Amino acid sequence: MKLMDMRDTDFGERFAVILSRGEEIDRAVEGSVAEIIADVRSRGDQALLDLTRRFDRLETSSVAELEVGETEIDAALAAVAADDLASLRHAVERVTRFHEKQRQQTWLSTEEPDIMLGQKVTPLERVGIYVPGGKASYPSSVIMNAVPARVAGVREILMVTPTPGGEVNPHVLAAARLSGVDRIFRIGGAQAVAALAYGTATIPRVDKITGPGNIYVATAKKLVFGQVGIDMIAGPSEILVINDGSGDTAHVASDLLSQAEHDELASSILITTDRSFGERVAGEVERQLGLLSRESIARASWESYGAIIVAGSLDEAVAFSNRIAPEHLELAVADPFSLLPAITNAGAIFMGHWTPEAAGDYLAGPNHTLPTGGTARFFSPLSVDDFVKKSSIVCLSEGGLKRLGRDIVRIAGLEGLEAHARSVSIRLDR
Amino acid sequence: MKLMDMRDTDFGERFAVILSRGEEIDRAVEGSVAEIIADVRSRGDQALLDLTRRFDRLETSSVAELEVGETEIDAALAAVAADDLASLRHAVERVTRFHEKQRQQTWLSTEEPDIMLGQKVTPLERVGIYVPGGKASYPSSVIMNAVPARVAGVREILMVTPTPGGEVNPHVLAAARLSGVDRIFRIGGAQAVAALAYGTATIPRVDKITGPGNIYVATAKKLVFGQVGIDMIAGPSEILVINDGSGDTAHVASDLLSQAEHDELASSILITTDRSFGERVAGEVERQLGLLSRESIARASWESYGAIIVAGSLDEAVAFSNRIAPEHLELAVADPFSLLPAITNAGAIFMGHWTPEAAGDYLAGPNHTLPTGGTARFFSPLSVDDFVKKSSIVCLSEGGLKRLGRDIVRIAGLEGLEAHARSVSIRLDR
């Protein structure tokens, strides 16, 4: 962790080190991922079986056997403690209710009787959700990806997850059932992404692939983009907390650590107008680090990519935050709504002292799949929008075409596109 | 052109040839584009000057000189014929009015007093529009990219366009001025995309790059995706016309040719339930081909990727169209609205006999930047949505956190994320 003052002359330089963590996809990874994709495209199921044997040490004679059966899901559901199931159900309910507000309607304007224009909103037909396996197997990821798809009206939701041992985490299976996932396959890595993008004899091709994954999965998603839709290219997690000296230092410290525990590349930053508050938070972080079972991860993250920054004013802090475009932004200030209009770049904004970022990870309602690494400049949280597409609607009557025809013909002429012009004039010149 | 019947046993096989036109980005192009991007990232303006000299044969001593000055734009505007200017202005007005209907609002739900949730909509700060130079220099492209950005509230719209002779088409400059473009640079190719994505001393970094381009531009956009937003990866244009035997064969033929004249890879397909109508359209296409100055392009497209398909019913035709997911879909039938609900995949839908696709290219209002090559399965027309991003808003009171806290702590526990749980319990356990 570095304690810095924004007004120090070397601030820019020192802070640049923290920003440098963004991992770029390197050409070597890209090469091997491209090979895996080509293999799955050409050999289909057989490639999938071979690669699953090689990477996940899972031996089956057909891809169909890699599908998780209904009885297996039933068993998982039965094995999950009732209280845990109730919490997951609560999450599904709240996330559903929030995402329902994102639904967009097909519309048609009738203000000009001879020219009706509109936009048709249609759910994607089939989507694939990637769920990491092993230690990072999170039921909340399933909920946050499947629920918006289901709310959007997607007809079939596939889920893929690598299972080095052959077993899928029961909470993940329960979350899949509660969120409306239709089919689950025990496949992962670039090969699963390729199978979803191009289809195999057993795995149907999807229209979009969402969900987090390691560098191979992220690279595969980037390479198949255009063949299918993808959500975004996610990097390590981050939090930025803006503070005005109000609130409890222990609370702020706990929020910083909730990101730091994710992985060594996570970044937790506090920017405060109150140096003494900042110093006390630093002490609290140290104290709470010692209480964590994931201490070594959280400590590595905090040492490398943690920072406490002193700002001259809240305006300065907000301007800085907008430049960083953090995935998670906490406004741990007395009057958070007064800052809201000025926030231009942030994945999710957590308002005030009673809104820890963790509330957004699970239960409040908004999606926890958020743009990282400064991409909140242009990416948005995963949403129902990601699971629909739009078609423009244009409907002219004869009168409408007459009204527009002359100018269409003229612009087509400027562009040298004679057949475009003729398709209008042939209708009007009679 | 091939005349086929959907019910023929070899239909699938014969039609596959037409679908095969999609060009994939090959690794060789990707390699040279990656080099250009790396060069611009490391050498900035100097690389841009060198590459512009090499590819566009344009010699200047600074990138600033590559900017098109206000006086040059004024002169272009003065040089454009008054009628042409009026037509362009009409297009800008109609496109603006349509896109204004796409604006989304920031919202905040207050139905639970202790938990407010919402979504903030914020325009992108700065975007770059790529406009191809030379023969494919279209003022309508400028309008269709700049207007949605301006309607969205983007603060600065940059435009880049290669100018092998140093001159920008005056209609393009006029369209830029009318659509609210802020700065124009005479740069193009992968180097322009790289400059916009990473910024140089002279070219400011943008948040998103939109607009059409050749394979180098498309590849560059794909490679910088994630560093900036991009709109979509566009391929050659296409039209599919669904017909029920009603309407005028000459009109349908002219619509097919309005796509075919774009380029040799364009694809024009008629699917009709009336074989005789189809045969007469084939004759009309031949006749009209002879009238076109771009005959050779249109003929090459029609020979290779044109088709007239006979369907057993309109339902079959619609199902086929959904499978193709055409960029432009004309419902040249007596009752187009009866088919609308069943259309699931199409970039834009042109309703009835008085709505030639060309109306949508210029003036009706909707965007002409549409998903090609079957990507209407998951991509949408370019819209105001492309020029905003969203941030989730979460605001809990103490009571709200109390209400959610138990379940948050429980799910964090399932995921082994102790610090997440602590950030909640530290606030509630007092």
Side-chain angles (χ1 to χ4, degrees):
Chain A
M1 188 279 293
K2 290 164 193 71
L3 180 65
M4 324 180 192
D5 192 305
M6 282 187 73
R7 292 153 296 184
D8 290 347
T9 49
D10 63 346
F11 173 70
E13 207 176 304
R14 291 180 68 201
F15 193 73
V17 178
I18 288 177
L19 283 184
S20 69
R21 81 200 161 104
E23 51 189 290
E24 296 220 358
I25 291 171
D26 71 34
R27 300 275 295 168
V29 170
E30 210 175 283
S32 38
V33 168
E35 270 172 39
I36 290 172
I37 294 172
D39 191 21
V40 172
R41 282 186 72 176
S42 67
R43 296 197 304 128
D45 276 356
Q46 192 51 52
L48 215 43
L49 286 176
D50 293 348
L51 291 161
T52 301
R53 186 183 311 114
R54 185 166 132 212
F55 291 117
D56 296 341
R57 297 173 304 285
L58 195 60
E59 183 84 43
T60 56
S61 57
S62 76
V63 175
E65 287 174 56
L66 292 172
E67 183 160 3
V68 178
E70 287 300 311
T71 51
E72 203 172 334
I73 304 174
D74 291 341
L77 228 73
V80 171
D83 279 353
D84 292 341
L85 208 57
S87 294
L88 291 173
R89 192 168 277 129
H90 189 195
V92 169
E93 278 165 17
R94 292 198 59 91
V95 173
T96 299
R97 213 180 314 145
F98 180 83
H99 285 79
E100 279 170 349
K101 293 183 199 291
Q102 295 176 329
R103 273 208 203 109
Q104 290 184 54
Q105 302 297 318
T106 291
W107 56 264
L108 187 71
S109 77
T110 52
E111 64 212 37
E112 303 176 274
D114 47 0
I115 304 174
M116 287 189 285
L117 304 173
Q119 194 169 274
K120 182 179 194 293
V121 181
T122 313
L124 303 192
E125 196 171 310
R126 186 188 290 126
V127 301
I129 294 173
Y130 192 96
V131 176
K135 63 179 165 116
S137 191
Y138 296 142
S140 61
S141 277
V142 178
I143 296 171
M144 292 296 181
N145 280 273
V147 167
R150 206 199 49 204
V151 169
V154 170
R155 214 170 56 191
E156 190 174 20
I157 303 173
L158 302 188
M159 179 177 129
V160 296
T161 187
T163 58
E167 289 270 304
V168 186
N169 174 318
H171 302 120
V172 163
L173 286 182
R177 170 68 62 83
L178 295 175
S179 321
V181 168
D182 295 292
R183 301 179 71 181
I184 305 172
F185 288 93
R186 274 180 287 250
I187 54 174
Q191 60 274 19
V193 173
L196 291 171
Y198 291 98
T200 70
T202 309
I203 310 285
R205 176 183 85 160
V206 303
D207 298 315
K208 188 158 189 167
I209 302 172
T210 70
N214 62 21
I215 188 73
Y216 290 89
V217 171
T219 304
K221 281 171 67 181
K222 182 164 174 169
L223 290 181
V224 300
F225 176 59
Q227 163 66 26
V228 284
I230 64 172
D231 50 347
M232 62 184 100
I233 297 169
S237 194
E238 72 230 0
I239 189 172
L240 190 145
V241 181
I242 294 180
N243 172 268
D244 57 0
S246 72
D248 187 318
T249 54
H251 299 177
V252 169
S254 73
D255 297 348
L256 294 171
L257 286 175
S258 73
Q259 282 310 301
E261 77 171 338
H262 266 301
D263 71 86
E264 289 87 347
L265 286 172
S267 175
S268 304
I269 296 171
L270 166 65
I271 178 161
T272 178
T273 51
D274 180 340
R275 171 178 283 268
S276 134
F277 187 94
E279 285 165 352
R280 280 176 289 137
V281 168
E284 262 299 325
V285 167
E286 273 310 315
R287 192 184 67 78
Q288 291 184 31
L289 267 171
L291 306 173
L292 291 177
S293 56
R294 292 168 75 94
E295 177 183 354
S296 68
I297 293 174
R299 188 175 291 281
S301 154
W302 182 243
E303 300 288 344
S304 308
Y305 303 115
I308 293 179
I309 300 170
V310 182
S313 68
L314 280 179
D315 285 351
E316 263 180 51
V318 167
F320 176 79
S321 170
N322 285 337
R323 239 165 60 226
I324 302 299
E327 181 191 14
H328 303 97
L329 172 63
E330 283 189 6
L331 301 181
V333 297
D335 181 9
F337 274 94
S338 69
L339 301 186
L340 189 60
I343 304 296
T344 56
N345 297 327
I349 308 168
F350 300 88
M351 311 288 288
H353 297 300
W354 292 97
T355 315
E357 179 273 316
D361 283 343
Y362 298 121
L363 213 65
N367 212 285
H368 79 189
T369 309
L370 298 170
T372 58
T375 60
R377 280 161 49 222
F378 49 87
F379 281 142
S380 300
L382 191 71
S383 76
V384 169
D385 297 350
D386 282 290
F387 296 101
V388 300
K389 74 261 176 160
K390 291 160 190 167
S391 305
S392 303
I393 304 169
V394 186
C395 183
L396 310 187
S397 67
E398 182 175 358
L401 187 62
K402 274 193 182 132
R403 203 142 65 71
L404 302 187
R406 210 182 48 114
D407 287 326
I408 297 171
V409 169
R410 189 172 290 279
I411 302 178
L414 294 181
E415 300 192 343
L417 294 175
E418 220 176 284
H420 282 63
R422 172 164 300 117
S423 71
V424 172
S425 56
I426 201 172
R427 284 170 163 92
L428 297 179
D429 302 344
R430 286 189 300 186
Chain B
M1 189 278 296
K2 293 164 192 72
L3 181 66
M4 325 178 190
D5 193 305
M6 282 188 71
R7 292 152 298 184
D8 289 347
T9 48
D10 62 347
F11 172 71
E13 207 176 306
R14 292 180 67 202
F15 193 73
V17 178
I18 288 178
L19 282 185
S20 68
R21 83 200 159 104
E23 52 189 286
E24 296 220 359
I25 291 170
D26 70 33
R27 300 276 293 169
V29 170
E30 210 174 283
S32 37
V33 168
E35 270 171 40
I36 290 172
I37 294 173
D39 192 21
V40 173
R41 281 186 74 177
S42 67
R43 295 197 303 130
D45 277 355
Q46 192 50 53
L48 214 46
L49 287 176
D50 293 348
L51 292 160
T52 301
R53 186 182 311 117
R54 183 165 133 212
F55 292 118
D56 297 340
R57 296 173 303 287
L58 195 60
E59 183 85 43
T60 55
S61 57
S62 75
V63 175
E65 287 174 56
L66 292 172
E67 183 161 3
V68 178
E70 287 300 312
T71 51
E72 203 173 336
I73 304 174
D74 291 342
L77 227 76
V80 171
D83 279 353
D84 293 340
L85 208 56
S87 294
L88 291 174
R89 192 169 277 128
H90 190 194
V92 169
E93 278 165 17
R94 292 197 61 91
V95 173
T96 299
R97 214 180 314 144
F98 180 84
H99 286 79
E100 279 169 349
K101 293 182 198 295
Q102 294 176 329
R103 273 207 203 110
Q104 289 183 54
Q105 302 297 319
T106 292
W107 55 266
L108 187 71
S109 78
T110 51
E111 63 213 36
E112 304 176 274
D114 48 0
I115 305 174
M116 287 189 285
L117 303 173
Q119 195 169 272
K120 182 180 193 294
V121 181
T122 313
L124 304 192
E125 195 171 311
R126 185 189 292 125
V127 302
I129 295 173
Y130 192 96
V131 176
K135 64 180 165 114
S137 189
Y138 296 143
S140 61
S141 277
V142 179
I143 296 171
M144 293 296 183
N145 280 273
V147 168
R150 208 200 46 206
V151 170
V154 170
R155 214 171 55 191
E156 190 173 21
I157 304 174
L158 303 188
M159 179 178 130
V160 295
T161 187
T163 57
E167 289 269 304
V168 186
N169 175 319
H171 303 120
V172 164
L173 287 183
R177 169 68 62 84
L178 295 175
S179 320
V181 169
D182 294 291
R183 300 179 72 182
I184 304 172
F185 288 91
R186 275 181 288 250
I187 54 174
Q191 60 274 19
V193 173
L196 291 171
Y198 291 98
T200 70
T202 309
I203 311 284
R205 178 183 85 161
V206 303
D207 298 315
K208 188 158 189 166
I209 302 171
T210 70
N214 62 20
I215 187 74
Y216 289 89
V217 172
T219 305
K221 280 170 66 180
K222 182 164 173 168
L223 291 182
V224 300
F225 176 59
Q227 164 65 25
V228 283
I230 64 172
D231 49 347
M232 59 184 101
I233 297 170
S237 194
E238 72 229 1
I239 188 172
L240 190 146
V241 180
I242 295 181
N243 173 268
D244 57 1
S246 72
D248 187 317
T249 54
H251 298 178
V252 169
S254 74
D255 296 348
L256 294 171
L257 286 175
S258 74
Q259 281 311 299
E261 77 171 337
H262 267 301
D263 71 88
E264 289 87 346
L265 286 172
S267 174
S268 304
I269 297 170
L270 166 66
I271 178 160
T272 176
T273 53
D274 181 339
R275 170 177 284 269
S276 132
F277 188 94
E279 286 165 351
R280 280 177 288 137
V281 167
E284 262 297 326
V285 167
E286 272 311 316
R287 191 184 69 78
Q288 292 183 31
L289 266 171
L291 306 173
L292 291 178
S293 56
R294 293 167 74 94
E295 177 182 354
S296 68
I297 293 173
R299 188 176 289 283
S301 153
W302 182 243
E303 299 288 345
S304 308
Y305 304 114
I308 293 179
I309 300 170
V310 182
S313 67
L314 280 178
D315 285 351
E316 264 180 49
V318 167
F320 176 78
S321 171
N322 285 338
R323 238 166 57 230
I324 302 300
E327 181 191 14
H328 303 98
L329 171 63
E330 283 189 6
L331 301 181
V333 298
D335 182 8
F337 274 95
S338 69
L339 301 186
L340 189 60
I343 304 296
T344 55
N345 296 327
I349 309 168
F350 300 88
M351 311 288 288
H353 297 299
W354 292 98
T355 315
E357 178 273 315
D361 283 343
Y362 298 122
L363 214 65
N367 211 285
H368 80 188
T369 309
L370 299 169
T372 59
T375 60
R377 281 161 49 224
F378 49 86
F379 281 142
S380 301
L382 191 70
S383 76
V384 170
D385 297 351
D386 282 290
F387 297 99
V388 301
K389 74 260 177 160
K390 291 160 189 165
S391 305
S392 304
I393 303 169
V394 186
C395 183
L396 309 187
S397 67
E398 181 174 0
L401 187 62
K402 274 192 182 135
R403 201 143 66 71
L404 302 186
R406 210 183 47 114
D407 287 326
I408 297 172
V409 169
R410 190 172 288 279
I411 302 178
L414 293 181
E415 299 192 344
L417 294 175
E418 220 175 285
H420 283 64
R422 172 164 300 117
S423 71
V424 173
S425 56
I426 202 171
R427 284 169 163 91
L428 298 179
D429 302 345
R430 285 188 301 185

